[in-house]
Coordinates of all heavy atoms in Angstrom, one line a residue:
M15 N -12.0 -1.3 -23.2 CA -13.0 -0.2 -23.2 C -12.8 0.7 -22.0 O -12.4 0.2 -20.9 CB -14.4 -0.9 -23.1 CG -14.8 -1.5 -21.8 SD -16.4 -2.3 -21.8 CE -16.0 -4.0 -21.8
E16 N -12.8 2.0 -22.2 CA -12.6 3.0 -21.2 C -13.9 3.3 -20.5 O -15.0 3.5 -21.1 CB -12.0 4.3 -21.7 CG -10.5 4.2 -21.8 CD -10.0 5.6 -22.0 OE1 -10.7 6.6 -22.2 OE2 -8.7 5.7 -22.0
L17 N -13.9 3.3 -19.1 CA -15.1 3.5 -18.4 C -14.9 4.4 -17.2 O -13.7 4.5 -16.7 CB -15.6 2.1 -17.8 CG -15.8 1.0 -18.8 CD1 -15.8 -0.3 -18.2 CD2 -17.1 1.3 -19.6
I18 N -15.9 5.1 -16.7 CA -15.8 5.9 -15.6 C -16.7 5.2 -14.5 O -17.8 4.8 -14.7 CB -16.4 7.3 -15.8 CG1 -15.6 8.0 -16.9 CG2 -16.4 8.2 -14.6 CD1 -14.2 8.5 -16.5
G19 N -16.2 5.2 -13.3 CA -16.9 4.6 -12.2 C -16.4 5.1 -10.8 O -15.7 6.1 -10.8
K20 N -16.9 4.4 -9.8 CA -16.6 4.8 -8.4 C -16.1 3.6 -7.6 O -16.7 2.5 -7.8 CB -17.8 5.5 -7.8 CG -17.6 6.0 -6.4 CD -18.8 6.8 -5.9 CE -19.9 5.9 -5.6 NZ -21.0 6.6 -4.8
I21 N -15.1 3.8 -6.8 CA -14.6 2.7 -6.0 C -15.7 2.4 -4.9 O -16.0 3.3 -4.1 CB -13.3 3.0 -5.4 CG1 -12.2 3.3 -6.4 CG2 -12.8 1.9 -4.4 CD1 -10.9 3.9 -5.9
T22 N -16.2 1.2 -4.9 CA -17.2 0.8 -3.9 C -16.8 -0.2 -2.9 O -17.4 -0.4 -1.9 CB -18.5 0.3 -4.7 OG1 -18.1 -0.7 -5.5 CG2 -19.1 1.4 -5.5
K23 N -15.7 -0.9 -3.2 CA -15.2 -1.9 -2.3 C -13.7 -2.0 -2.4 O -13.1 -1.9 -3.5 CB -15.8 -3.3 -2.7 CG -17.3 -3.4 -2.5 CD -17.7 -4.8 -3.0 CE -19.3 -4.8 -3.0 NZ -19.8 -5.6 -4.1
K24 N -13.0 -2.1 -1.3 CA -11.6 -2.3 -1.3 C -11.1 -3.1 -0.1 O -11.5 -2.9 1.0 CB -10.9 -0.9 -1.2 CG -9.4 -1.0 -1.4 CD -8.7 0.4 -1.4 CE -7.2 0.2 -1.4 NZ -6.5 1.2 -0.7
N25 N -10.3 -4.2 -0.4 CA -9.8 -5.0 0.7 C -8.3 -4.9 0.7 O -7.6 -5.4 -0.2 CB -10.2 -6.5 0.4 CG -9.8 -7.4 1.5 OD1 -8.7 -7.3 2.1 ND2 -10.7 -8.3 1.9
D26 N -7.8 -4.1 1.6 CA -6.4 -3.9 1.7 C -5.6 -5.1 2.1 O -4.5 -5.3 1.6 CB -6.1 -2.8 2.7 CG -6.5 -1.4 2.2 OD1 -6.2 -1.0 1.1 OD2 -7.2 -0.7 3.0
D27 N -6.2 -6.0 2.9 CA -5.5 -7.2 3.3 C -5.2 -8.1 2.1 O -4.1 -8.8 2.1 CB -6.3 -7.9 4.4 CG -6.3 -7.2 5.7 OD1 -5.4 -6.3 5.9 OD2 -7.3 -7.4 6.4
L28 N -6.2 -8.3 1.2 CA -6.0 -9.2 0.1 C -5.7 -8.4 -1.2 O -5.6 -9.1 -2.3 CB -7.3 -10.0 -0.1 CG -7.7 -10.9 1.1 CD1 -9.0 -11.6 0.9 CD2 -6.6 -11.9 1.4
S29 N -5.5 -7.1 -1.1 CA -5.1 -6.3 -2.3 C -6.0 -6.4 -3.5 O -5.5 -6.6 -4.6 CB -3.6 -6.7 -2.7 OG -2.8 -6.5 -1.6
Y30 N -7.3 -6.2 -3.3 CA -8.2 -6.1 -4.4 C -9.3 -5.2 -4.1 O -9.5 -4.7 -2.9 CB -8.7 -7.5 -4.8 CG -9.8 -8.0 -3.9 CD1 -11.2 -7.7 -4.1 CD2 -9.5 -8.7 -2.7 CE1 -12.2 -8.2 -3.2 CE2 -10.5 -9.2 -1.9 CZ -11.8 -8.9 -2.1 OH -12.8 -9.4 -1.3
G31 N -10.1 -4.8 -5.1 CA -11.3 -4.0 -4.9 C -12.2 -4.0 -6.1 O -11.9 -4.8 -7.1
F32 N -13.3 -3.2 -6.0 CA -14.2 -3.2 -7.1 C -14.6 -1.7 -7.4 O -14.7 -0.9 -6.5 CB -15.5 -3.9 -6.8 CG -15.3 -5.4 -6.8 CD1 -15.0 -6.1 -5.6 CD2 -15.4 -6.2 -7.9 CE1 -14.8 -7.5 -5.6 CE2 -15.3 -7.5 -7.9 CZ -15.0 -8.2 -6.7
V33 N -14.7 -1.4 -8.7 CA -15.2 -0.2 -9.2 C -16.6 -0.5 -9.8 O -16.8 -1.4 -10.6 CB -14.3 0.4 -10.3 CG1 -14.9 1.6 -11.0 CG2 -12.9 0.7 -9.8
T34 N -17.6 0.3 -9.3 CA -18.9 0.1 -9.9 C -19.1 1.1 -11.0 O -18.9 2.3 -10.9 CB -20.0 0.4 -8.8 OG1 -19.8 -0.6 -7.7 CG2 -21.4 0.2 -9.3
V35 N -19.5 0.6 -12.2 CA -19.7 1.4 -13.4 C -21.2 1.3 -13.7 O -21.8 0.1 -13.7 CB -18.9 0.8 -14.5 CG1 -19.2 1.5 -15.8 CG2 -17.4 0.9 -14.2
P36 N -21.9 2.4 -13.9 CA -23.3 2.4 -14.3 C -23.6 1.4 -15.5 O -22.8 1.4 -16.4 CB -23.6 3.8 -14.6 CG -22.6 4.6 -13.9 CD -21.4 3.8 -13.9
K37 N -24.6 0.6 -15.4 CA -25.1 -0.3 -16.4 C -24.2 -1.5 -16.6 O -24.6 -2.5 -17.3 CB -25.3 0.4 -17.7 CG -26.4 1.5 -17.7 CD -26.6 2.1 -19.0 CE -27.6 3.2 -18.9 NZ -27.9 3.8 -20.2
L38 N -23.0 -1.6 -15.9 CA -22.1 -2.7 -16.1 C -21.9 -3.4 -14.7 O -21.6 -4.6 -14.7 CB -20.8 -2.3 -16.6 CG -20.7 -2.0 -18.1 CD1 -19.3 -1.6 -18.5 CD2 -21.2 -3.2 -18.9
G39 N -22.1 -2.7 -13.6 CA -21.9 -3.3 -12.3 C -20.4 -3.2 -11.8 O -19.7 -2.3 -12.2
D40 N -20.0 -4.2 -11.0 CA -18.7 -4.2 -10.4 C -17.6 -4.7 -11.3 O -17.8 -5.8 -11.9 CB -18.8 -5.0 -9.1 CG -19.6 -4.4 -8.0 OD1 -19.9 -3.2 -8.1 OD2 -20.0 -5.1 -7.1
I41 N -16.5 -4.0 -11.4 CA -15.4 -4.4 -12.1 C -14.2 -4.6 -11.2 O -13.9 -3.6 -10.4 CB -15.0 -3.4 -13.2 CG1 -16.2 -3.4 -14.2 CG2 -13.8 -3.8 -14.0 CD1 -16.1 -2.3 -15.3
F42 N -13.5 -5.7 -11.2 CA -12.5 -6.1 -10.3 C -11.2 -5.3 -10.6 O -10.8 -5.1 -11.8 CB -12.2 -7.6 -10.4 CG -11.2 -8.2 -9.5 CD1 -11.5 -8.5 -8.2 CD2 -9.9 -8.4 -10.0 CE1 -10.5 -9.0 -7.4 CE2 -8.9 -9.0 -9.2 CZ -9.2 -9.3 -7.9
F43 N -10.5 -4.9 -9.5 CA -9.1 -4.4 -9.7 C -8.2 -4.9 -8.6 O -8.7 -5.4 -7.6 CB -9.1 -2.8 -9.8 CG -9.3 -2.1 -8.5 CD1 -8.3 -1.8 -7.6 CD2 -10.6 -1.8 -8.1 CE1 -8.5 -1.1 -6.4 CE2 -10.9 -1.1 -6.9 CZ -9.8 -0.8 -6.1
S44 N -6.9 -4.9 -8.8 CA -6.0 -5.5 -7.8 C -4.7 -4.8 -8.0 O -4.5 -3.9 -8.8 CB -5.8 -7.0 -8.0 OG -5.1 -7.2 -9.2
K45 N -3.7 -5.2 -7.2 CA -2.3 -4.7 -7.4 C -1.7 -5.0 -8.7 O -0.7 -4.4 -9.2 CB -1.4 -5.2 -6.2 CG -1.7 -4.5 -4.9 CD -0.6 -4.5 -4.0 CE -0.9 -3.6 -2.8 NZ 0.2 -3.5 -1.9
D46 N -2.4 -6.0 -9.5 CA -1.9 -6.3 -10.8 C -2.4 -5.3 -11.9 O -1.9 -5.2 -13.0 CB -2.4 -7.7 -11.3 CG -1.8 -8.8 -10.4 OD1 -0.6 -8.6 -10.0 OD2 -2.4 -9.8 -10.2
T47 N -3.3 -4.4 -11.5 CA -3.8 -3.3 -12.3 C -2.7 -2.3 -12.5 O -2.0 -2.0 -11.5 CB -5.1 -2.7 -11.7 OG1 -6.1 -3.7 -11.6 CG2 -5.6 -1.5 -12.5
S48 N -2.6 -1.7 -13.6 CA -1.6 -0.6 -13.9 C -2.2 0.7 -13.4 O -3.2 1.2 -14.0 CB -1.3 -0.6 -15.4 OG -0.5 0.5 -15.7
F49 N -1.6 1.3 -12.4 CA -2.1 2.6 -11.8 C -1.4 3.8 -12.4 O -0.2 3.8 -12.5 CB -2.0 2.5 -10.3 CG -2.9 1.6 -9.6 CD1 -2.5 0.2 -9.4 CD2 -4.1 2.0 -9.1 CE1 -3.4 -0.7 -8.8 CE2 -5.0 1.1 -8.5 CZ -4.6 -0.3 -8.4
S50 N -2.2 4.8 -12.7 CA -1.6 6.0 -13.2 C -2.0 7.1 -12.3 O -3.2 7.2 -11.9 CB -2.1 6.3 -14.6 OG -1.7 7.5 -15.1
N51 N -1.2 8.0 -11.9 CA -1.3 9.1 -11.0 C -1.8 8.7 -9.5 O -2.2 9.6 -8.8 CB -2.2 10.2 -11.6 CG -3.8 10.0 -11.5 OD1 -4.2 8.9 -11.1 ND2 -4.5 10.9 -11.9
T52 N -1.6 7.5 -9.2 CA -2.0 7.0 -7.8 C -1.4 5.6 -7.7 O -0.7 5.0 -8.6 CB -3.5 7.0 -7.6 OG1 -3.7 6.8 -6.2 CG2 -4.2 5.9 -8.4
T53 N -1.6 5.0 -6.5 CA -1.2 3.6 -6.3 C -2.4 2.9 -5.6 O -3.3 3.5 -5.1 CB 0.0 3.5 -5.3 OG1 -0.4 4.0 -4.0 CG2 1.2 4.3 -5.8
F54 N -2.3 1.6 -5.5 CA -3.4 0.8 -4.9 C -3.6 1.3 -3.5 O -4.7 1.4 -3.0 CB -3.1 -0.7 -4.9 CG -4.1 -1.5 -4.2 CD1 -5.2 -2.0 -4.9 CD2 -4.0 -1.8 -2.8 CE1 -6.2 -2.7 -4.2 CE2 -5.0 -2.5 -2.2 CZ -6.1 -3.0 -2.9
D55 N -2.5 1.5 -2.7 CA -2.6 1.9 -1.3 C -3.2 3.2 -1.1 O -3.7 3.5 -0.1 CB -1.2 1.8 -0.7 CG -0.6 0.4 -0.6 OD1 -1.4 -0.5 -0.5 OD2 0.6 0.2 -0.8
E56 N -3.1 4.1 -2.1 CA -3.6 5.5 -2.0 C -5.1 5.6 -2.3 O -5.7 6.6 -1.9 CB -2.8 6.4 -2.9 CG -1.4 6.6 -2.4 CD -0.6 7.4 -3.4 OE1 -0.9 7.5 -4.6 OE2 0.4 8.0 -3.0
V57 N -5.7 4.7 -3.0 CA -7.1 4.9 -3.4 C -8.0 4.5 -2.3 O -7.7 3.7 -1.4 CB -7.5 4.0 -4.7 CG1 -6.6 4.5 -5.9 CG2 -7.3 2.6 -4.4
S58 N -9.2 5.2 -2.3 CA -10.1 4.9 -1.2 C -11.6 4.9 -1.7 O -11.8 5.3 -2.9 CB -10.0 6.0 -0.1 OG -10.2 7.3 -0.6
L59 N -12.5 4.4 -0.9 CA -13.9 4.3 -1.3 C -14.4 5.6 -1.7 O -14.0 6.7 -1.3 CB -14.7 3.8 -0.1 CG -14.4 2.4 0.3 CD1 -15.3 2.0 1.5 CD2 -14.6 1.4 -0.8
D60 N -15.4 5.6 -2.7 CA -16.1 6.7 -3.2 C -15.3 7.6 -4.1 O -15.8 8.6 -4.6 CB -16.8 7.5 -2.1 CG -17.8 6.7 -1.4 OD1 -18.5 5.9 -2.0 OD2 -18.0 6.9 -0.2
Q61 N -14.0 7.3 -4.4 CA -13.3 8.1 -5.4 C -13.8 7.8 -6.8 O -14.0 6.6 -7.1 CB -11.8 7.8 -5.3 CG -11.2 8.4 -4.1 CD -9.7 8.2 -4.0 OE1 -9.2 7.1 -4.1 NE2 -8.9 9.3 -3.9
K62 N -13.8 8.8 -7.6 CA -14.2 8.6 -9.0 C -13.0 8.3 -9.8 O -11.9 8.9 -9.7 CB -14.8 9.9 -9.6 CG -15.5 9.8 -10.9 CD -16.2 11.1 -11.3 CE -16.9 11.0 -12.6 NZ -17.6 12.2 -13.0
V63 N -13.1 7.2 -10.7 CA -11.9 6.8 -11.4 C -12.3 6.5 -12.9 O -13.4 6.2 -13.2 CB -11.3 5.5 -10.8 CG1 -10.8 5.7 -9.4 CG2 -12.4 4.4 -10.7
K64 N -11.2 6.5 -13.7 CA -11.4 6.1 -15.1 C -10.5 4.8 -15.2 O -9.4 4.8 -14.8 CB -10.8 7.2 -16.0 CG -10.9 6.8 -17.5 CD -10.7 7.9 -18.5 CE -9.3 8.5 -18.4 NZ -9.1 9.5 -19.5
I65 N -11.2 3.8 -15.8 CA -10.5 2.5 -15.9 C -10.6 2.0 -17.4 O -11.4 2.5 -18.1 CB -11.1 1.4 -15.0 CG1 -12.6 1.2 -15.3 CG2 -10.9 1.8 -13.6 CD1 -13.1 0.0 -14.6
T66 N -9.7 1.2 -17.7 CA -9.8 0.4 -19.0 C -10.0 -1.0 -18.5 O -9.2 -1.6 -17.7 CB -8.5 0.5 -19.8 OG1 -8.2 1.9 -20.1 CG2 -8.6 -0.3 -21.1
A67 N -11.1 -1.6 -19.0 CA -11.4 -3.0 -18.6 C -11.3 -4.0 -19.7 O -11.5 -3.6 -20.9 CB -12.9 -3.0 -18.0
T68 N -11.0 -5.2 -19.4 CA -11.0 -6.3 -20.4 C -11.7 -7.5 -19.8 O -11.8 -7.7 -18.6 CB -9.5 -6.6 -20.7 OG1 -9.5 -7.6 -21.7 CG2 -8.8 -7.2 -19.5
E69 N -12.3 -8.2 -20.7 CA -13.1 -9.4 -20.3 C -12.1 -10.6 -20.0 O -11.1 -10.8 -20.8 CB -14.0 -9.8 -21.5 CG -14.9 -10.9 -21.2 CD -16.0 -10.5 -20.2 OE1 -16.6 -9.5 -20.3 OE2 -16.3 -11.3 -19.3
T70 N -12.3 -11.2 -18.9 CA -11.5 -12.4 -18.5 C -12.5 -13.6 -18.3 O -13.7 -13.3 -18.2 CB -10.7 -12.1 -17.2 OG1 -11.6 -12.1 -16.1 CG2 -9.9 -10.9 -17.3
P71 N -12.0 -14.8 -18.1 CA -12.9 -15.9 -17.8 C -13.7 -15.7 -16.5 O -14.8 -16.2 -16.3 CB -12.0 -17.1 -17.7 CG -10.8 -16.7 -18.5 CD -10.7 -15.2 -18.4
R72 N -13.2 -14.8 -15.6 CA -13.9 -14.6 -14.3 C -14.7 -13.3 -14.3 O -15.2 -12.9 -13.3 CB -12.9 -14.6 -13.2 CG -12.2 -16.0 -13.1 CD -11.2 -16.0 -12.0 NE -11.9 -16.1 -10.7 CZ -11.3 -15.9 -9.6 NH1 -10.0 -15.7 -9.5 NH2 -12.1 -16.0 -8.5
G73 N -14.8 -12.6 -15.5 CA -15.5 -11.3 -15.5 C -14.6 -10.2 -15.9 O -13.5 -10.4 -16.3
L74 N -15.1 -9.0 -15.8 CA -14.3 -7.8 -16.2 C -13.2 -7.5 -15.2 O -13.4 -7.6 -14.0 CB -15.3 -6.6 -16.4 CG -16.2 -6.6 -17.5 CD1 -17.2 -5.4 -17.5 CD2 -15.4 -6.5 -18.9
F75 N -12.0 -7.1 -15.7 CA -10.9 -6.8 -14.9 C -10.4 -5.4 -15.4 O -10.2 -5.2 -16.6 CB -9.8 -7.8 -15.1 CG -8.5 -7.5 -14.4 CD1 -8.4 -7.5 -13.0 CD2 -7.4 -7.1 -15.1 CE1 -7.3 -7.1 -12.3 CE2 -6.2 -6.8 -14.5 CZ -6.1 -6.8 -13.1
A76 N -10.1 -4.5 -14.4 CA -9.5 -3.2 -14.7 C -8.0 -3.4 -15.0 O -7.3 -3.6 -14.1 CB -9.8 -2.3 -13.6
T77 N -7.6 -3.2 -16.2 CA -6.2 -3.3 -16.6 C -5.5 -2.1 -16.3 O -4.3 -2.1 -16.0 CB -6.0 -3.7 -18.1 OG1 -6.7 -2.8 -18.9 CG2 -6.6 -5.1 -18.3
S78 N -6.1 -0.9 -16.4 CA -5.5 0.4 -16.1 C -6.5 1.2 -15.3 O -7.7 1.0 -15.4 CB -5.0 1.1 -17.3 OG -6.1 1.6 -18.0
F79 N -6.0 2.1 -14.5 CA -6.7 2.7 -13.4 C -6.2 4.1 -13.2 O -5.0 4.3 -13.0 CB -6.5 1.9 -12.2 CG -7.4 2.2 -11.0 CD1 -8.4 1.3 -10.7 CD2 -7.2 3.3 -10.2 CE1 -9.3 1.5 -9.6 CE2 -8.0 3.5 -9.1 CZ -9.0 2.6 -8.8
Q80 N -7.0 5.1 -13.2 CA -6.6 6.5 -13.0 C -7.7 7.3 -12.3 O -8.8 7.2 -12.5 CB -6.4 7.1 -14.4 CG -6.1 8.6 -14.5 CD -5.9 9.0 -15.9 OE1 -5.7 8.2 -16.8 NE2 -5.9 10.3 -16.1
L81 N -7.2 8.1 -11.3 CA -8.2 8.9 -10.5 C -8.7 10.0 -11.5 O -7.9 10.6 -12.3 CB -7.5 9.5 -9.3 CG -7.1 8.6 -8.2 CD1 -6.4 9.4 -7.1 CD2 -8.3 7.9 -7.6
V82 N -9.9 10.3 -11.3 CA -10.5 11.5 -12.1 C -10.5 12.6 -11.2 O -11.1 12.6 -10.1 CB -11.9 11.1 -12.6 CG1 -12.6 12.3 -13.2 CG2 -11.9 9.9 -13.5
S83 N -9.8 13.7 -11.6 CA -9.8 14.9 -10.7 C -11.1 15.6 -10.8 O -11.6 15.8 -11.9 CB -8.6 15.8 -11.1 OG -8.7 16.2 -12.4
I84 N -11.5 16.1 -9.7 CA -12.8 16.9 -9.7 C -12.3 18.3 -9.6 O -11.7 18.7 -8.6 CB -13.6 16.5 -8.5 CG1 -14.0 15.0 -8.6 CG2 -14.9 17.4 -8.4 CD1 -14.7 14.5 -7.4
Q85 N -12.5 19.1 -10.7 CA -12.0 20.4 -10.7 C -13.0 21.3 -9.9 O -14.2 21.3 -10.1 CB -11.9 20.9 -12.1 CG -10.8 20.1 -12.9 CD -10.5 20.7 -14.2 OE1 -11.1 21.7 -14.6 NE2 -9.6 20.1 -14.9
K86 N -12.4 22.2 -9.1 CA -13.2 23.1 -8.4 C -13.5 24.3 -9.3 O -12.7 24.7 -10.1 CB -12.4 23.7 -7.2 CG -12.1 22.6 -6.1 CD -11.3 23.1 -5.0 CE -11.0 22.0 -4.0 NZ -10.1 22.4 -3.0
P87 N -14.7 24.9 -9.2 CA -15.0 26.0 -10.0 C -14.1 27.2 -9.8 O -13.7 27.4 -8.6 CB -16.4 26.4 -9.7 CG -16.8 25.5 -8.5 CD -15.7 24.5 -8.3
K88 N -13.6 27.8 -10.8 CA -12.7 29.0 -10.7 C -13.5 30.2 -10.2 O -14.6 30.4 -10.6 CB -12.0 29.3 -12.0 CG -11.1 28.2 -12.4 CD -10.3 28.6 -13.7 CE -9.4 27.5 -14.0 NZ -8.6 27.8 -15.2
V89 N -12.9 30.9 -9.3 CA -13.5 32.1 -8.7 C -12.8 33.3 -9.3 O -11.6 33.4 -9.2 CB -13.4 32.1 -7.2 CG1 -14.0 33.4 -6.6 CG2 -14.1 30.9 -6.6
S90 N -13.6 34.2 -9.9 CA -13.0 35.4 -10.5 C -12.6 36.3 -9.4 O -13.2 36.3 -8.2 CB -14.0 36.1 -11.4 OG -15.1 36.6 -10.7
P91 N -11.7 37.3 -9.6 CA -11.3 38.2 -8.6 C -12.4 39.0 -8.0 O -12.5 39.3 -6.8 CB -10.3 39.1 -9.3 CG -9.8 38.3 -10.4 CD -10.9 37.4 -10.8
E92 N -13.4 39.3 -8.9 CA -14.6 40.1 -8.4 C -15.4 39.3 -7.4 O -15.9 39.9 -6.4 CB -15.5 40.5 -9.6 CG -14.8 41.5 -10.6 CD -13.9 40.7 -11.6 OE1 -14.2 39.6 -11.9 OE2 -13.0 41.3 -12.0
Q93 N -15.6 38.0 -7.7 CA -16.4 37.2 -6.8 C -15.6 37.0 -5.5 O -16.2 36.8 -4.4 CB -16.6 35.8 -7.4 CG -17.6 35.9 -8.6 CD -17.7 34.6 -9.3 OE1 -16.8 33.9 -9.5 NE2 -19.0 34.2 -9.7
A94 N -14.3 36.9 -5.5 CA -13.5 36.7 -4.3 C -13.6 37.8 -3.3 O -13.5 37.6 -2.1 CB -12.1 36.4 -4.7
T95 N -13.9 39.0 -3.8 CA -14.0 40.2 -2.9 C -15.4 40.4 -2.3 O -15.6 41.3 -1.5 CB -13.5 41.4 -3.6 OG1 -14.3 41.7 -4.7 CG2 -12.1 41.3 -3.9
L96 N -16.4 39.6 -2.8 CA -17.8 39.8 -2.3 C -18.0 39.3 -0.9 O -17.5 38.5 -0.4 CB -18.8 39.1 -3.2 CG -18.8 39.7 -4.6 CD1 -19.8 38.8 -5.5 CD2 -19.3 41.1 -4.7

């Protein structure tokens, strides 16, 4: 299942973290997660991410992980000169 959430916990020493997804809670990720457009070392708290999660005996695990880019609003040339 594809989900959108926010990184709320990250432990660099033990190479794991959690993404909090509304209505589902915390979903575990680690260096075993497949990262797209980033790496474990580059992610930080409060970043918005899209994950694919799977159920494991220990709870939900993020099998894939991708940063969600926050697009800045485009400024028209007219607005830029104001």
Side-chain angles (χ1 to χ4, degrees):
M15 72 181 107
E16 274 196 353
L17 305 162
I18 300 287
K20 184 171 74 169
I21 300 171
T22 53
K23 296 174 189 149
K24 184 177 178 213
N25 185 318
D26 290 311
D27 294 335
L28 299 176
S29 302
Y30 77 90
F32 289 93
V33 173
T34 299
V35 175
K37 299 184 182 179
L38 286 179
D40 291 342
I41 298 175
F42 181 81
F43 71 93
S44 69
K45 285 201 172 188
D46 293 331
T47 299
S48 174
F49 290 86
S50 176
N51 80 353
T52 192
T53 66
F54 178 87
D55 295 326
E56 293 173 335
V57 300
S58 59
L59 294 178
D60 296 324
Q61 285 182 306
K62 191 173 180 180
V63 295
K64 178 167 66 172
I65 61 171
T66 301
T68 187
E69 187 70 43
T70 72
R72 298 182 73 189
L74 289 172
F75 174 70
T77 55
S78 70
F79 192 106
Q80 171 179 348
L81 291 178
V82 174
S83 62
I84 300 171
Q85 296 189 359
K86 296 178 182 173
K88 292 185 179 181
V89 177
S90 68
E92 296 82 30
Q93 290 173 321
T95 58
L96 294 177

